[in-house]
Amino acid sequence: MSTSYRIGLVGKPSVGKSSFFNAATMNDVPEGAYPFTTIDPSVGEAYVRVDCAAPEFDEECTPSVGYCDHGTRFVPTKLVDVAGLIPGAHEGAGLGNQFLTDLNETDVLVHVVDFSGKTDLEGEPTEGHDPRKDIDFLEEELDQWYLDVLEKGIERYESGYTTADDDIEEELAEQMSAFRTNEDEIKRLIRRVDVGFDPGEWDDEDELELAREIRTETKPIVIAANKMDLPEAQDNYEEITADPDYDHLTFVPCSAHAEKALKSADKAGVVDYRPGDADFEIVGDVSDDQEQGLEQIREFLGEYGATGVQAALETALFDVLGVTPVFPGGANGLGNERGEVLPDCYLIPPESTAEDFAYSLHSDIGDGFLHAIDCRTNRQLGKDYTVEPRDVIEVVTTN
């Protein structure tokens, strides 16, 4: 029900991107410390956590997708493992064109960066590499890609190829429509960078600045600071998160390796672990070595509150994109005609109205929208009501 959002997972080779993907989805994608382990974009189902509303009604939910674990609802979302980030991707180097196409089908990016500095820009083993170079490198690749598309729009505009009364924002919105932008947004961003509305007066720097602004707005990035169980990574993390040049990014300390180990151990019945939790319990027989490894992971959880894999996904959807989780209620409160209790949890865009929500359920339901009902208060809601996170809403429709 809630797979309309796609989180893109990017990163150079050997930084732990496949480990992160596997840990988040528990799918078996080959892992290996050499370039191009992942050739085709793998799409997996990951989950984000939402406090289930059912306990507030003294009910137990029956999810139709995802699952519920002690009052925490695990709601599915799509995770796309995007292959081929190497220098020159925007010019088609490596798997460049495929890389950009796959990237374009995502709403937000999680950039997995090896914060230990033990892999260079090509993903080869090294020591003392500055993770900032990786962060800059992805942003520069994307900026150049956006700039290429922007320049085509400016050329079309200046060649008189468009109708005389077209505004530049109209032309650019059309040229850059693949980035899910629109005329109003382009207009707002041109104002924000303050370059004026005559592209004849823009210089190269103006164009790059506008391209960057459109990119940050339409393809926001969360940095998964991976390998944070290593002391070098912790030093780099402190330094980079204090650097004002990186204030525009959100950082999540992370150990994909720890998450994968805990999920595997949980699957094997060795530990009791719920993804995203700050602790776990050893419930099976373990060797001394295994116990030592698990205790090191426990120390990491104590330090950072979680492995960071869940947090990175949730930060991307809820904090950066502002996605709103909402439960559709039924005519008899929480249930539907099949007797299921809160079977669905939808993830809808921020600032959605009750009518928008009705349309996300089904176009017919939206077309026949009469009003909505807040199942907690039984209050009637008009079509312009702004849906709040974790609302339980019944939609009354003629259809």
Side-chain angles (χ1 to χ4, degrees), residues 290-325:
Q290 284 173 314
E291 187 169 1
Q292 198 180 341
L294 286 167
E295 289 308 326
Q296 281 175 343
I297 290 175
R298 199 192 301 276
E299 251 172 67
F300 180 82
L301 297 184
E303 179 74 23
Y304 293 100
T307 67
V309 170
Q310 272 302 129
L313 302 177
E314 288 156 5
T315 298
L317 279 196
F318 298 136
D319 300 350
V320 173
L321 286 185
V323 170
T324 304

Side-chain angles (χ1 to χ4, degrees), residues 2 23 118 153 159 174 193 225 253 292-293 301 326 396:
S2 48
K118 291 178 185 289
S159 67
E174 192 176 324
V193 296
Q292 198 180 341
L301 297 184
V326 55
V396 180

Side-chain angles (χ1 to χ4, degrees), residues 238-259:
E238 269 183 45
E239 199 177 308
I240 295 168
T241 52
D243 184 339
D245 285 351
Y246 296 88
D247 283 351
H248 65 289
L249 291 167
T250 306
F251 292 84
V252 178
C254 184
S255 170
H257 159 75
E259 179 75 7

Side-chain angles (χ1 to χ4, degrees), residues 9 15-26 31 110-116 223-231 233-234 237 251-264 273-277 280 293-313:
L9 197 61
V15 294
K17 181 167 68 89
S18 292
S19 300
F20 186 107
F21 182 82
N22 287 346
T25 59
M26 282 306 264
E31 290 177 31
V110 171
H111 183 191
V112 182
V113 177
D114 174 1
F115 260 58
S116 73
I223 304 293
N226 198 28
K227 307 192 183 178
M228 283 292 287
D229 37 355
L230 300 173
Q234 294 160 16
Y237 186 84
F251 292 84
V252 178
C254 184
S255 170
H257 159 75
E259 179 75 7
K260 184 85 196 299
L262 286 176
K263 276 191 171 170
S264 300
Y273 170 68
R274 190 173 66 168
D277 278 2
F280 59 89
L294 286 167
E295 289 308 326
Q296 281 175 343
I297 290 175
R298 199 192 301 276
E299 251 172 67
F300 180 82
L301 297 184
E303 179 74 23
Y304 293 100
T307 67
V309 170
Q310 272 302 129
L313 302 177

Side-chain angles (χ1 to χ4, degrees), residues 185-301:
E185 185 169 56
I186 298 282
K187 198 171 189 173
R188 180 165 57 80
L189 297 176
I190 291 175
R191 283 209 180 99
R192 192 191 289 173
V193 296
D194 197 19
V195 289
F197 285 85
D198 178 5
E201 294 179 0
W202 299 351
D203 61 20
D204 291 352
E205 194 45 54
D206 293 335
E207 289 177 10
L208 179 60
E209 197 184 347
L210 180 57
R212 184 180 295 130
E213 204 65 36
I214 298 169
R215 191 266 303 166
T216 48
E217 199 78 6
T218 57
K219 204 65 71 190
I221 298 172
V222 170
I223 304 293
N226 198 28
K227 307 192 183 178
M228 283 292 287
D229 37 355
L230 300 173
E232 300 92 334
Q234 294 160 16
D235 293 344
N236 283 329
Y237 186 84
E238 269 183 45
E239 199 177 308
I240 295 168
T241 52
D243 184 339
D245 285 351
Y246 296 88
D247 283 351
H248 65 289
L249 291 167
T250 306
F251 292 84
V252 178
C254 184
S255 170
H257 159 75
E259 179 75 7
K260 184 85 196 299
L262 286 176
K263 276 191 171 170
S264 300
D266 181 78
K267 208 174 178 180
V270 173
V271 304
D272 190 2
Y273 170 68
R274 190 173 66 168
D277 278 2
D279 204 359
F280 59 89
E281 193 184 343
I282 299 177
V283 291
D285 295 332
V286 289
S287 67
D288 290 350
D289 282 356
Q290 284 173 314
E291 187 169 1
Q292 198 180 341
L294 286 167
E295 289 308 326
Q296 281 175 343
I297 290 175
R298 199 192 301 276
E299 251 172 67
F300 180 82
L301 297 184

Side-chain angles (χ1 to χ4, degrees), residues 54-263:
E56 294 172 47
F57 297 85
D58 291 327
E59 293 273 7
E60 207 166 295
C61 70
T62 45
S64 61
V65 291
Y67 62 99
C68 200
D69 186 350
H70 294 85
T72 298
R73 194 75 170 248
F74 285 79
V75 183
T77 187
K78 288 272 187 279
L79 186 61
V80 183
D81 186 1
V82 183
L85 173 61
I86 62 163
H90 75 276
E91 293 165 340
L95 303 170
N97 296 328
Q98 189 57 46
F99 169 74
L100 298 176
T101 305
D102 296 335
L103 208 59
N104 218 12
E105 289 168 6
T106 62
D107 300 284
V108 60
L109 303 179
V110 171
H111 183 191
V112 182
V113 177
D114 174 1
F115 260 58
S116 73
K118 291 178 185 289
T119 41
D120 68 14
L121 267 182
E122 269 75 36
E124 300 295 339
T126 187
E127 291 292 329
H129 177 74
D130 187 346
R132 273 175 279 222
K133 289 182 177 166
D134 297 3
I135 296 168
D136 297 346
F137 155 58
L138 175 68
E139 292 203 296
E140 283 158 14
E141 281 294 334
L142 297 187
D143 290 345
Q144 289 301 323
W145 172 35
Y146 271 67
L147 180 62
D148 290 347
V149 181
L150 179 86
E151 285 173 340
K152 289 190 181 93
I154 294 170
E155 274 167 34
R156 270 175 63 101
Y157 180 79
E158 292 184 328
S159 67
Y161 193 72
T162 54
T163 55
D165 51 2
D166 269 2
D167 294 321
I168 181 62
E169 64 267 23
E170 214 171 309
E171 181 55 50
L172 292 181
E174 192 176 324
Q175 186 68 41
M176 306 186 86
S177 61
F179 299 129
R180 301 180 203 182
T181 185
N182 57 49
E183 209 181 312
D184 291 340
E185 185 169 56
I186 298 282
K187 198 171 189 173
R188 180 165 57 80
L189 297 176
I190 291 175
R191 283 209 180 99
R192 192 191 289 173
V193 296
D194 197 19
V195 289
F197 285 85
D198 178 5
E201 294 179 0
W202 299 351
D203 61 20
D204 291 352
E205 194 45 54
D206 293 335
E207 289 177 10
L208 179 60
E209 197 184 347
L210 180 57
R212 184 180 295 130
E213 204 65 36
I214 298 169
R215 191 266 303 166
T216 48
E217 199 78 6
T218 57
K219 204 65 71 190
I221 298 172
V222 170
I223 304 293
N226 198 28
K227 307 192 183 178
M228 283 292 287
D229 37 355
L230 300 173
E232 300 92 334
Q234 294 160 16
D235 293 344
N236 283 329
Y237 186 84
E238 269 183 45
E239 199 177 308
I240 295 168
T241 52
D243 184 339
D245 285 351
Y246 296 88
D247 283 351
H248 65 289
L249 291 167
T250 306
F251 292 84
V252 178
C254 184
S255 170
H257 159 75
E259 179 75 7
K260 184 85 196 299
L262 286 176
K263 276 191 171 170

